[in-house]
Amino acid sequence: MGKAARVRDTHSQGPLPACVEGFTRLQHPVTQIIDGSTLAGAADSQAAIEQPDEDVLATPAVVDDTSQPPTSAFATFGLCRELLDGLAAIGFEEPSPIQKAAIPELMLGRDLVGQAQTGTGKTAAFGLPLLERLEPGLRTPQVLVLTPTRELAMQVAEAFNSYASSMKGVKVLPIYGGADFRDQIQHLRRGVQIVVGTPGRVMDHMRQGTLDLSGLRSLVLDEADEMLRMGFIDDVQWVLEQLPAERQVVLFSATMPNEIRRISQKYLNDPAEVTIRQKAADGRRIRQRHLVVNGPQKLEALERVLEAEGSEGVIIFARTKAITLTVAESLEQHGYDVAVLNGDVPQNQRERTIERLRDGRVNVLVATDVAARGLDVDRIGLVINYDIPFDGEAYVHRIGRTGRAGRNGEAILFLTPRERRFLGGLERAVNQPIEAMEVPGNASINQHRLDRLREKLTLALQQPAGNPEERALLGEILQRVAQEQSCSPDQLALAALELSLGGKPLLLQGEERWGQSRPGAPSARDRDRDRSERRPFQDRHSERSEDGPEENMERFRIEVGWRDRVKPGNIVGAIANESGLTGRSIGKIRIFDAHSTVDLPKGMPDDVFADLRRLRVMNKELQISRLGS
Ligand code: ADP
Ligand code: MG
C-alpha cells in the first residue's frame, strides 16, 4: 500500500451507469486506504454522509421530505431499481466504508483486494455490484463465491437472495459438503447464475463436470485468510487455475498473510486495493466495556444490562431499521419509555423525539448510525452498541453521544463470539482498552432492584406526591385495616409495599450467573464460527499424543500423511465441511508418514462416513476407516 492516504482515480468518483458491460482492465492500480478522516469523503456525492458531526439537526438528513420515498444513499452507485428495493426491504440505509470504496470499482469489472475486518459489510460490497452485472437471462454460473465454511456459504447465499429479492430470474445455489450431492447436481442442471460454496465441494463438482465454469465472470474469495488457515489454499489455487482467462477476481481478507498476498499477485489482474483502517480518537471521559453474547440472546442481555446499568438517558445503536424496531418493541413491553430514530423517521418528528429525550419524557432511544449522527443530548449517561459498528470511526461517533458537557459516560459494546476478534481494532481506534464485563446475572439485577425500591420508598416518604385529601383518605383506610386485622404498623407497611409491586415478583429466581447452562448457549453455529478461539491443532496433538481417544471419541485412520504435505488444518477443514462437525468437535490429529489419525465424536452416521471415505485432501482420497479401539 502506498503512503498517500488515498489515491483515487477519476473513474471511481460519482455515480456509475446502471450496467457496465464487459470487463474493463485498467492500466494503473488504484489504492484506497480508507481511514477515519477520509470516510466521509469516500462518498463525495452524498450530502447526508458529509454532514458535519454536530449539525445533523439543522441540516436535512437522509429523509427530509415525507411525501417522497426515501432515496437510498446506495442509489448513487448506479444500482438498478430492483436492487435498491431489495436493500430497502432489508433496511440498509447507508453503505459502509468498504461498500463505498469497493462497489464503484467492482461495477467496472475490476479485480479487487479488500482488507477489512469481520462485520464491515463485505458481502454486500461484492454482492451488489456482481448482481448488478449479472445477466439473469443466461442460466449458467456467472459468479462463484468460495467461503471457508458451510455456514458462511449459506449465509452469503442468503444475503444474495435478500439483495435480489426484487430481481427476476436470479438463482443462487449454496454448495457445501454434508449436503446431498445429487440434489446439488439437479439444481445446477436446472440453471443457476450464482454459486456459493466451500472449496472442496466446488472442486468435486468441477471435476465431475457438474459445475461448468466456462461462462464464469467473477470469482470471489471470501475470508481468504480463513481459507488459508483451514488448509484450503491449494484447493483455491486449483479452482483459480481452471477459470476462464477473462474473469474478475475479488479477494477479501481480514488479514494479509504472505500466502494471500502471493495469490493476489499471481491471479489478480491489476487489482484495486481497499483497506479499511481504524482511526485513533479520544474517549477518556467515557468508561468503555464490552460483553460477549450469542446473537439469539442479545435481546435478553440488553434487558439485563438496562436493568442493572441503566442510567437516566440511554442510546442503543442497532445496525438496521428493522432491528431498531424489534429492540424498541421489546423494551416497550418491559415498561421502558422508548423512542426510535432511523432513516424512516421524518425530520420534524426526529426533532420532537430528540426534544423528548432531552427533557426526559423518553429515556431510551434506539437508533441507527445515520439517524443519530451528531445527536447532542447532555443527559445521555449510557451508550449501548447493540450491534457492533462498522469501524472504529463509527464506534467513536457512537460513544461520543455520552460523556458530553463535561459529564462522565458509560459505553457498552455487545459482541457475538465471532465478533470478538475485532475488539482490538476498536480499542486501537479509541486508544484505550475496552474492558470485559459479564451480562449482569440475577444477583446484580436483584441488588439493583432492591436499591431502587429503597430509593423510591425514601423519596415517597420525603416528598409525598398525592394530594392532601387523598392522603387523608389513605390514612383512614390504613387505620381501619389495622384495627380490623389487629396488625402492627410494620405488617401494614409491608403489605402496602407488596401491593405496590403489582403482583410481580421483585426478584429474579435461579442461577447466579447468566448465560451458563442455558439450552443452546453458545449455539453450535457461533462456536463453529469462532474459530479464532480454537486451540491450535498441533498443540492438541502433542499434548497427549500417546493416549487413546478421549471418552465419547473414536479414532479414525485416514490415508494422507506428511508425505502428502498435509497439515492438521487441511484435515480439520475438509472434515468439518464434509461432515458438518464443528472444528472444535474434531479431536486429536496425529500425522504419520503416509497416514494420519483423527479423533471424531462417536456415533458418526453411516452416510457421513461414506461421504468422508471419498473426501479428498491434498488430492488424495481419505479412505477413512475406524481404528479398532
Ligand atoms: P463481513 O462479511 O464484512 O463480515 P457482512 O457482510 O456479513 O460483514 O455484514 C455484517 C452485518 O452487517 C450483516 O448483518 C449485514 O446484514 C449488515 N450490513 C451490511 N451492510 C450494511 C449496511 N449498509 N447497512 C446496514 N447493515 C449492513
Ligand atoms: Mg463476510
Side-chain angles (χ1 to χ4, degrees):
M1 301 276 153
K3 276 206 213 85
R6 193 164 51 105
V7 186
R8 307 187 90 226
D9 241 27
T10 42
H11 73 262
S12 62
Q13 293 184 350
L16 292 160
C19 276
V20 184
E21 285 303 328
F23 295 91
T24 320
R25 297 278 183 211
L26 293 162
Q27 296 315 307
H28 33 276
V30 175
T31 302
Q32 296 187 41
I33 301 177
I34 314 288
D35 59 27
S37 55
T38 57
L39 282 179
D44 302 322
S45 49
Q46 293 165 32
I49 290 163
E50 291 216 334
Q51 283 167 2
D53 184 25
E54 308 302 325
D55 226 351
V56 72
L57 299 179
T59 324
V62 179
V63 183
D64 62 347
D65 179 356
T66 46
S67 63
Q68 296 284 313
T71 36
S72 161
F74 283 99
T76 56
F77 294 128
L79 298 172
C80 63
R81 185 74 251 164
E82 288 80 9
L83 275 175
L84 294 178
D85 288 348
L87 289 177
I90 53 174
F92 285 16
E93 292 179 357
E94 188 194 14
S96 70
I98 187 109
Q99 290 161 4
K100 282 177 205 158
I103 292 175
E105 302 294 347
L106 295 178
M107 293 274 281
L108 291 170
R110 294 198 69 184
D111 286 4
L112 181 135
V113 178
Q115 188 179 353
Q117 283 161 332
T118 319
T120 46
K122 292 190 284 294
T123 321
F126 63 77
L128 296 172
L130 297 190
L131 276 167
E132 178 69 40
R133 293 168 55 82
L134 202 72
E135 284 192 34
L138 289 178
R139 307 290 285 174
T140 56
Q142 296 163 46
V143 174
L144 171 64
V145 183
L146 291 181
T147 67
T149 65
R150 56 201 242 158
E151 283 77 15
L152 256 182
M154 286 189 271
Q155 204 173 302
V156 170
E158 270 164 32
F160 266 100
N161 277 325
S162 68
Y163 309 150
S165 59
S166 299
M167 287 173 84
K168 290 228 168 58
V170 176
K171 283 266 177 285
V172 185
L173 180 68
I175 57 176
Y176 42 80
D180 188 49
F181 210 78
R182 276 154 306 178
D183 209 45
Q184 294 174 354
I185 294 177
Q186 257 171 22
H187 279 288
L188 286 168
R189 284 225 184 93
R190 262 178 253 144
V192 301
Q193 298 101 349
I194 299 168
V195 174
V196 187
T198 51
R201 190 48 81 92
V202 165
M203 277 169 78
D204 286 349
H205 280 289
M206 287 170 71
R207 283 215 191 83
Q208 295 203 1
T210 41
L211 175 60
D212 171 17
L213 294 185
S214 59
L216 194 85
R217 302 172 131 220
S218 309
L219 172 78
V220 180
L221 305 176
D222 196 15
E223 304 210 1
D225 51 352
E226 282 293 292
M227 291 202 270
L228 171 73
R229 201 151 64 159
M230 291 182 73
F232 294 149
I233 219 60
D234 295 344
D235 297 357
V236 168
Q237 292 207 41
W238 185 88
V239 173
L240 277 161
E241 301 279 353
Q242 319 300 314
L243 297 184
E246 272 295 288
R247 81 285 154 120
Q248 176 183 31
V249 182
V250 183
L251 186 154
F252 278 117
S253 206
T255 58
M256 277 296 159
N258 284 336
E259 288 94 324
I260 299 297
R261 275 249 162 263
R262 263 203 300 278
I263 293 231
S264 83
Q265 277 155 9
K266 183 159 176 203
Y267 295 98
L268 274 65
N269 186 348
D270 182 28
E273 297 193 11
V274 176
T275 301
I276 302 296
R277 211 163 48 186
Q278 318 284 359
K279 179 191 164 197
D282 173 29
R284 264 166 316 196
R285 263 204 312 273
I286 304 166
R287 176 179 175 213
Q288 299 167 56
R289 287 174 294 165
H290 77 272
L291 56 81
V292 177
V293 59
N294 286 306
Q297 281 141 16
K298 269 187 168 181
L299 262 183
E300 196 191 334
L302 176 66
E303 275 146 23
R304 285 175 169 269
V305 166
L306 277 180
E307 251 215 89
E309 306 269 342
S311 78
E312 53 163 359
V314 182
I315 299 187
I316 299 168
F317 281 99
R319 196 168 264 151
T320 65
K321 289 182 227 174
I323 303 174
T324 58
L325 296 179
T326 314
V327 168
E329 266 167 32
S330 158
L331 293 180
E332 206 152 59
Q333 276 167 15
H334 285 79
Y336 289 94
D337 300 321
V338 194
V340 167
L341 212 58
N342 63 32
D344 281 346
V345 179
Q347 186 64 20
N348 50 6
Q349 194 181 321
R350 262 177 220 218
E351 286 166 22
R352 280 203 303 273
T353 301
I354 290 163
E355 213 32 65
R356 278 163 55 216
L357 183 67
R358 200 167 270 142
D359 65 24
R361 273 173 294 163
V362 155
N363 204 38
V364 181
L365 181 71
V366 190
T368 56
D369 285 294
V370 195
R373 184 171 292 126
L375 185 142
D376 189 4
V377 175
D378 288 350
R379 65 180 279 277
I380 301 302
L382 171 65
V383 167
I384 298 178
N385 286 282
Y386 183 76
D387 292 317
I388 190 158
F390 278 126
D391 51 30
E393 170 88 348
Y395 179 75
V396 170
H397 275 267
R398 286 177 175 192
I399 66 169
R401 300 310 109 209
T402 184
R404 294 180 92 82
R407 302 189 189 193
N408 293 325
E410 299 269 344
I412 297 177
L413 168 69
F414 282 29
L415 296 173
T416 61
R418 184 176 187 242
E419 289 165 346
R420 234 184 302 188
R421 61 174 118 156
F422 55 109
L423 181 64
L426 297 183
E427 288 178 327
R428 275 193 295 283
V430 287
N431 225 344
Q432 73 180 61
I434 303 173
E435 309 155 39
M437 68 178 276
E438 305 235 330
V439 177
N442 290 357
S444 65
I445 288 183
N446 288 343
Q447 190 54 54
H448 197 82
R449 287 186 183 178
L450 291 172
D451 291 347
R452 231 175 12 206
L453 186 62
R454 200 186 51 216
E455 281 164 23
K456 279 201 293 199
L457 194 60
T458 311
L459 198 69
L461 206 59
Q462 291 169 347
Q463 314 172 356
N467 73 47
E469 281 165 38
E470 283 186 3
R471 299 193 72 230
L473 286 171
L474 289 174
E476 273 176 35
I477 293 178
L478 284 177
Q479 256 181 2
R480 194 160 146 194
V481 174
Q483 267 168 14
E484 284 169 6
Q485 303 294 320
S486 57
C487 61
S488 71
D490 276 359
Q491 283 172 311
L492 198 60
L494 204 58
L497 199 54
E498 277 177 343
L499 196 63
S500 78
L501 294 176
K504 281 184 256 156
L506 173 62
L507 299 182
L508 293 173
Q509 302 298 322
E511 18 173 335
E512 271 288 282
R513 279 155 56 89
W514 184 84
Q516 290 193 327
S517 66
R518 341 181 82 240
S523 77
R525 182 182 168 133
D526 277 322
R527 239 178 324 172
D528 189 36
R529 315 212 67 206
D530 194 14
R531 286 182 303 273
S532 53
E533 293 283 306
R534 217 156 56 187
R535 279 188 289 151
F537 301 102
Q538 209 69 61
D539 289 351
R540 231 191 292 177
H541 141 70
S542 55
E543 229 172 16
R544 302 192 327 187
S545 56
E546 296 319 307
D547 301 348
E550 283 173 29
E551 219 188 319
N552 297 325
M553 300 292 269
E554 204 175 352
R555 184 154 296 173
F556 293 84
R557 177 186 162 111
I558 49 180
E559 303 305 322
V560 283
W562 289 126
R563 224 183 255 180
D564 311 299
R565 292 183 302 131
V566 75
K567 295 189 197 69
N570 303 112
I571 299 172
V572 170
I575 293 183
N577 272 324
E578 190 66 27
S579 66
L581 286 172
T582 61
R584 277 187 191 188
S585 55
I586 297 174
K588 268 176 280 179
I589 293 176
R590 299 181 69 192
I591 298 180
F592 299 92
D593 193 34
H595 79 280
S596 309
T597 64
V598 53
D599 292 354
L600 298 173
K602 276 187 183 152
M604 183 192 301
D606 289 344
D607 57 328
V608 175
F609 188 70
D611 278 346
L612 286 182
R613 270 194 74 76
R614 36 168 296 285
L615 180 65
R616 300 178 77 93
V617 174
M618 313 308 287
N619 244 334
K620 279 187 76 181
E621 266 192 23
L622 284 190
Q623 296 189 11
I624 192 166
S625 57
R626 289 195 160 82
L627 274 184
S629 49

